[in-house]
Amino acid sequence: MATLVRRLRTSVAPMIDVTDPYFLRLTRLISPFGNHQLWTEMIHANAFSRGRIHLDPVKLAQNLPLRELEDFADNVVVQIGSSSPQDAHEAVDTLVKLGVRNINLNCGCPSRNVQMGAFGAVLMKTPTVVADIVSAMSEAARGSGCRISVKCRIGIDEDESPEFLHGFLSTVTGQTRHKDELPIDIVLHARRAWLNGLSPKQNRLVPVLNYERAYEMVRSFTNTSFIVNGGIDSVDSVVEHLKLADSVMIGRKVREDPWFLSHLDQHVYNVPEHMVPTPESVLAQYTQFADASHNTYGTRYSVLARPLFVFFRGRMGKAMRTHLGWTLTKAKSQNFSHKNVTYSVQFGELVQEAVHAANAEYAARSRAPDAQVAEVGA
């Protein structure tokens, strides 16, 4: 393992339609101690080089966790997708100017749409192209302190040989670098990617996990920092993998239960239980953030509500999710005009309405008037 340049040893994986700025805000409120690195959804480099989203405050707020970049930039990673060194260079140059301190190149997504754009996992077939893209990214980040990394799989289609993976990593990390360019970090998903025949979801489940292949690379590339990803879904598994890797990345487990980060805080980082935020305080802070986001950028309530559908768990979770959905639908129908929706009630008020309705339903069913949403996050 390489000598760590940062103390973070756990990361929240980049997930399309999950790790948007609102989900990342919620995870940081659940775990405010700075223990976990937070990754954005993949953003195509073209969004900066051609789409110019950095010049549109609304689009920028939809794609980048601006609130987290204010005081947490060292622990936020922006993932980009690209098959063009020029586009990647421009994207990194723009992101660095926006205060981003960590940028990752996606070489692991097997989606058909991504393949058609010649980026993602299909890039592993052309390691010299990846090396050129990474070189352009490093050049754009030179002297800024911004770290560049590559996220890839342990193999592609039929080839999961150590020779294939070693050759890819050697090509990507082995280029001579300018003295002001930081070394390349690697995020290694311990499953191969099947480019044909499997959906992205199936590619996260069907290919067999091969941690030993990942750790062969950790042992071989002693000057490279490795984050290991894939199937890590318990505190015990996190602890075990940290004995062998510099860091671990958790995806689906956090997507399904963001409160898992709180368990890691307590059992990996030794945060005392009394310091862990309560569900009530997290919800209050999140709705305050959501109201500000809507008032400033016009963020849709459906987008703001999405992270909350995994926030509520336990016996009350289903009732809360149902009432939140009903409340938002009712508010939208009452305020719909042509193609625009203007809400007369703040998002936080709608969430509280849903909480009260869920509490009332649960109390009626359990015949316990004092029943509360005590199992939020359980």
Side-chain angles (χ1 to χ4, degrees):
M1 293 189 292
T3 301
L4 279 178
V5 296
R6 52 182 179 270
R7 69 182 182 87
L8 299 186
R9 304 202 68 196
T10 45
S11 299
V12 176
M15 293 173 279
I16 293 293
D17 295 328
V18 178
T19 53
D20 59 19
Y22 318 103
F23 184 85
L24 296 184
R25 172 93 287 243
L26 184 66
T27 58
R28 191 169 169 220
L29 292 172
I30 289 172
S31 175
F33 310 105
N35 292 329
H36 316 290
Q37 200 171 54
L38 305 179
W39 288 54
T40 70
E41 302 174 275
M42 180 178 63
I43 306 169
H44 200 294
N46 289 353
F48 299 97
S49 60
R50 303 177 197 178
R52 317 296 287 176
I53 65 169
H54 53 288
L55 302 180
D56 185 328
V58 173
K59 290 182 179 179
L60 191 63
Q62 291 170 346
N63 286 275
L64 291 185
L66 301 179
R67 173 61 185 83
E68 284 20 274
L69 289 175
E70 291 177 7
D71 59 358
F72 201 62
D74 284 344
N75 300 341
V76 171
V77 182
V78 175
Q79 185 182 70
I80 66 171
S82 183
S83 59
S84 163
Q86 181 178 350
D87 286 342
H89 183 285
E90 188 166 345
V92 172
D93 182 64
T94 301
L95 287 167
V96 166
K97 291 174 181 176
L98 290 170
V100 175
R101 306 281 294 171
N102 303 278
I103 303 172
N104 174 264
L105 177 68
N106 185 321
C107 292
C109 179
S111 155
R112 190 66 182 168
N113 289 337
V114 168
Q115 288 184 55
M116 291 174 65
F119 61 102
V122 72
L123 278 174
M124 290 191 70
K125 291 186 172 183
T126 54
T128 55
V129 173
V130 177
D132 289 343
I133 297 170
V134 169
S135 179
M137 294 172 67
S138 295
E139 181 182 339
R142 184 184 298 168
S144 69
C146 177
R147 295 194 68 87
I148 303 299
S149 61
V150 173
K151 188 175 190 294
C152 62
R153 298 287 188 123
I154 59 170
I156 294 291
D157 294 332
E158 290 81 7
D159 199 344
E160 194 182 300
S161 67
E163 292 79 15
F164 169 79
L165 184 56
H166 193 283
F168 175 82
L169 295 178
S170 294
T171 302
V172 172
T173 64
Q175 287 191 338
T176 302
R177 306 204 173 278
H178 189 276
K179 62 180 181 179
D180 291 335
E181 293 177 2
L182 297 172
I184 303 302
D185 300 328
I186 297 295
V187 183
L188 200 50
H189 189 147
R191 285 186 175 95
R192 75 173 76 184
W194 287 96
L195 300 181
N196 295 297
L198 293 181
S199 68
K201 180 178 180 180
Q202 291 171 322
N203 259 294
R204 294 191 294 269
L205 299 170
V206 175
V208 177
L209 285 162
N210 187 346
Y211 294 124
E212 179 51 36
R213 178 72 73 249
Y215 290 124
E216 284 182 50
M217 300 303 115
V218 173
R219 292 190 292 269
S220 295
F221 293 85
T222 56
N223 294 319
T224 299
S225 178
F226 279 89
I227 300 175
V228 173
N229 173 222
I232 301 171
D233 59 3
S234 69
V235 171
D236 287 344
S237 62
V238 168
V239 171
E240 288 304 308
H241 282 288
L242 287 178
K243 295 176 182 178
L244 301 170
D246 297 302
S247 183
V248 298
M249 176 175 280
I250 307 112
R252 281 177 292 137
K253 179 63 178 178
V254 176
R255 180 193 69 190
E256 296 164 0
D257 179 15
W259 287 94
F260 180 65
L261 296 177
S262 179
H263 296 306
L264 293 179
D265 286 335
Q266 295 176 70
H267 301 294
V268 175
Y269 295 99
N270 298 316
V271 173
E273 185 176 2
H274 73 272
M275 292 182 63
V276 174
T278 65
E280 292 77 13
S281 68
V282 171
L283 185 60
Q285 292 178 79
Y286 179 78
T287 54
Q288 183 179 22
F289 162 77
D291 284 336
S293 180
H294 175 73
N295 295 337
T296 304
Y297 303 111
T299 311
R300 299 194 311 272
Y301 282 6
S302 59
V303 173
L304 295 170
R306 191 163 54 195
L308 295 182
F309 285 101
V310 293
F311 178 79
F312 300 97
R313 301 188 65 81
R315 287 177 296 169
M316 277 295 301
K318 183 177 181 180
M320 182 60 217
R321 291 190 293 272
T322 298
H323 283 285
L324 181 58
W326 286 349
T327 301
L328 294 173
T329 299
K330 181 178 67 174
K332 182 177 180 179
S333 64
Q334 290 175 346
N335 295 277
F336 184 78
S337 175
H338 300 292
K339 293 185 179 180
N340 297 316
V341 177
T342 302
Y343 294 98
S344 57
V345 180
Q346 291 285 284
F347 179 78
E349 295 177 58
L350 295 178
V351 171
Q352 286 305 312
E353 180 182 337
V355 168
H356 292 320
N359 275 327
E361 176 184 323
Y362 181 65
R365 288 186 177 183
S366 63
R367 299 180 182 276
D370 60 343
Q372 296 292 319
V373 194
E375 293 178 77
V376 171

